[in-house]
Amino acid sequence: MALPGRYYRQYPVAKPLGSAEENLELELNRTVFLIIDAYGRGYGGETESKEVPELYRKWIRQNRDLVAERIVPARAAARRLGLPIVYLTNYLSPALGVRSELRNVSLRVDGIDPLEAWREPNDILSMSDIIAPAVGEFLIKKAAILGVLRDSP
């Protein structure tokens, strides 16, 4: 079956290229609808938490329309087709240690220590009701690969 596909190009940072579309020839019985890193409170209009660093609140504000007007309707279409919905999201992995490169980059670039900011429960990695998984949908938590590489012997 030919399905329209859309992906987002958030580069270059100064002037992102935006979305691109292409038709994809897919076998529905071998296809899932994958939502990657759509975490954070505020996509559904929830009140911003002042406990969340400004960087994360800015990302929510910048992507609120994209989530509400593009991803949520696309997910609804995928549900109507009977596609499994799979969410891939970050979490505070035990592999993310004090010497991890991800932590060091986050501290240098953003001034945020994920070892503190990502400790659950938090409004950074939780999901807004508008985009949260429904019963029967899959949530896969992914580890910070840089943390695994740096902290390994």
Side-chain angles (χ1 to χ4, degrees):
M1 172 180 250
L3 294 174
R6 179 184 306 119
Y7 56 94
Y8 298 91
R9 300 164 299 170
Q10 296 188 20
Y11 63 91
V13 174
K15 189 173 175 154
L17 296 174
S19 65
E21 296 183 14
E22 63 184 75
N23 284 323
L24 306 168
E25 195 64 42
L26 301 171
E27 296 177 48
L28 292 184
N29 63 341
R30 298 184 60 188
T31 302
V32 301
F33 187 80
L34 182 63
I35 300 173
I36 303 170
D37 291 342
Y39 53 79
R41 303 288 298 159
Y43 288 117
E46 302 92 346
T47 304
E48 286 186 357
S49 170
K50 299 301 179 193
E51 303 298 316
V52 173
E54 175 59 24
L55 173 70
Y56 295 108
R57 294 194 317 260
K58 178 182 171 186
W59 287 347
I60 297 295
R61 288 190 300 270
Q62 288 176 335
N63 293 298
R64 187 175 286 133
D65 290 343
L66 177 109
V67 170
E69 297 172 15
R70 301 286 185 136
I71 297 174
V72 169
R75 179 188 62 185
R79 286 175 175 161
R80 285 191 300 274
L81 287 171
L83 296 178
I85 311 296
V86 179
Y87 297 78
L88 189 60
T89 187
N90 285 326
Y91 81 112
L92 183 56
S93 164
L96 185 63
V98 295
R99 293 181 21 223
S100 75
E101 194 58 29
L102 177 66
R103 178 178 185 249
N104 292 333
V105 168
S106 183
L107 283 167
R108 283 192 314 268
V109 174
D110 302 321
I112 297 170
D113 184 350
L115 292 178
E116 295 298 321
W118 290 11
R119 188 171 291 141
E120 292 190 31
N122 68 64
D123 284 341
I124 295 169
L125 299 176
S126 61
M127 292 186 149
S128 291
D129 291 341
I130 192 173
I131 193 67
V135 173
E137 295 177 340
F138 303 93
L139 176 66
I140 300 170
K141 294 183 174 186
K142 60 184 169 87
I145 300 300
L146 291 174
V148 173
L149 296 174
R150 184 69 180 273
D151 284 346
S152 297

